Amino acid sequence: MKNFLLFITIVSLSFSLQAAEDWGRNGHRATGEIAEQHLSRKAKKAISELLDGQSLALVSTYGDEIKSDPEYREYGPYHYVNFPFDSTYEEHPKSEEGDLIVGIRNAIATLKSETATKDEKVFQLKMLVHFLGDLHQPLHIGLADDKGGNDFQVRWFGDGTNLHTVWDTKMIEDYNMSYSELAANTKQLSEEELQAIQQGDVLDWMYESRELCKDIYANTEIGEKLWYPYMYRYMDTLRFQLQKGGIRLAVVLNEIFD
Ligand code: ADE
Ligand code: ZN
Ligand code: ZN
């Protein structure tokens, strides 16, 4: 009986750990697929060699898959960055364990390095694809107090969950499009609009997500019953975040492999 209870505890614990899964698989995959549409010929070739022809969509979820492996524990804090709404990334004391910005910078440095091995580059390329997705999930530019909304309880179509999970997975799941459908049905952009999205750097893009995070907090209450009106309010915004993540991932990769 004791062993059985222990088994049940371990199984339910591992399910609850798995639940903390950024953007959800299809969100990350859509971002990877959209990036493929914007890669330069040179970047495409270099990436195909590193990934043995696997797609960016396929490798985009790797960053979450390794989370439960103790060998990769140090990468856990690299998926998000928290600082108070009335402060800035630059002003606020940095996490000693690193954060999303550090994770992205490390990955870029390894991919540009002349001494890193192929295995190291493959690893960091997969992480970079994942992290550019996380950078566009507004709750990943969050508040430490409620762990980026993980401790912000809400109801989603009647079921108990938290604000972070609504943004990671619930909205995308209920929208019920595959990642390729999400990638094929992005917003039509003029050349000017595309260029505006491609402008700036990782910190600019982070602050853009931060503004969205503030908007979400201003429009969501603890315990709130979220359903269709919330989808209606935010789904286009969410889809645009996936699109911008993909476009900007391609900007970063094109620059690395130029
Ligand atoms: N844990 C603590 N803060 C977090 C955040 N902003 N996103 C995801 N997980 C977190
Ligand atoms: Zn998340
Ligand atoms: Zn992540």
Side-chain angles (χ1 to χ4, degrees):
M1 186 62 186
K2 251 191 192 159
N3 280 347
F4 180 69
L5 283 177
L6 188 66
F7 172 75
I8 294 293
T9 309
I10 290 170
V11 168
S12 50
L13 197 68
S14 65
F15 269 107
S16 66
L17 287 175
Q18 274 172 16
E21 175 197 86
D22 321 328
W23 264 151
R25 291 185 183 82
N26 280 353
H28 280 287
R29 286 173 185 151
T31 290
E33 181 88 352
I34 292 162
E36 302 258 9
Q37 303 165 1
H38 295 274
L39 288 178
S40 68
R41 192 183 289 264
K42 237 172 147 180
K44 229 177 236 178
K45 185 162 181 284
I47 290 165
S48 181
E49 276 167 23
L50 282 173
L51 297 180
D52 284 333
Q54 296 173 108
S55 69
L56 295 184
L58 188 91
V59 303
S60 69
T61 54
Y62 178 76
D64 279 338
E65 280 148 20
I66 62 171
K67 262 187 187 167
S68 57
D69 186 337
E71 198 191 320
Y72 296 108
R73 186 163 294 149
E74 65 186 285
Y75 294 92
Y78 285 17
H79 291 254
Y80 54 86
V81 53
N82 293 324
F83 50 93
F85 281 162
D86 61 1
S87 187
T88 62
Y89 178 70
E90 291 85 349
E91 273 169 21
H92 192 69
K94 308 266 178 299
S95 162
E96 283 174 15
E97 299 175 317
D99 58 41
L100 180 53
I101 302 302
V102 174
I104 291 173
R105 286 181 177 158
N106 284 354
I108 294 173
T110 300
L111 287 163
K112 284 185 172 174
S113 156
E114 286 175 8
T115 53
T117 64
K118 181 178 176 189
D119 280 354
E120 285 165 343
K121 291 193 179 202
V122 171
F123 176 81
Q124 291 293 357
L125 174 56
K126 292 179 186 173
M127 297 306 278
L128 184 61
V129 175
H130 181 86
F131 289 153
L132 258 286
D134 283 347
L135 187 69
H136 289 78
Q137 205 290 42
L139 276 297
H140 278 241
I141 319 299
L143 300 174
D145 289 348
D146 68 1
K147 304 194 185 70
N150 276 297
D151 291 343
F152 189 125
Q153 304 304 315
V154 293
R155 300 198 82 78
W156 181 253
F157 285 88
D159 294 337
T161 182
N162 64 70
L163 185 60
H164 192 99
T165 305
V166 167
W167 277 86
D168 265 355
T169 53
K170 297 285 183 193
M171 280 201 280
I172 297 178
E173 277 173 11
D174 283 357
Y175 200 63
N176 207 17
M177 269 195 177
S178 67
Y179 78 84
S180 18
E181 288 166 342
L182 285 166
N185 290 281
T186 49
K187 192 168 168 170
Q188 289 295 316
L189 300 171
S190 67
E191 192 53 39
E192 290 76 37
E193 285 170 323
L194 177 63
Q195 279 173 13
I197 291 167
Q198 291 166 327
Q199 291 293 312
D201 58 20
V202 168
L203 278 188
D204 296 321
W205 304 335
M206 177 202 71
Y207 280 118
E208 192 190 271
S209 295
R210 164 43 61 105
E211 286 309 303
L212 249 174
C213 179
K214 284 184 179 174
D215 176 82
I216 292 164
Y217 274 79
N219 287 295
T220 321
E221 281 172 31
I222 293 171
E224 195 172 339
K225 293 176 180 157
L226 306 177
W227 62 314
Y228 287 118
Y230 200 80
M231 283 279 269
Y232 178 68
R233 176 173 205 140
Y234 280 121
M235 196 59 209
D236 282 354
T237 308
L238 189 159
R239 291 197 303 119
F240 196 33
Q241 286 304 104
L242 300 179
Q243 184 175 6
K244 285 189 285 189
I247 292 169
R248 289 164 177 169
L249 171 59
V251 168
V252 173
L253 293 172
N254 289 344
E255 205 263 324
I256 291 170
F257 296 111
D258 185 31

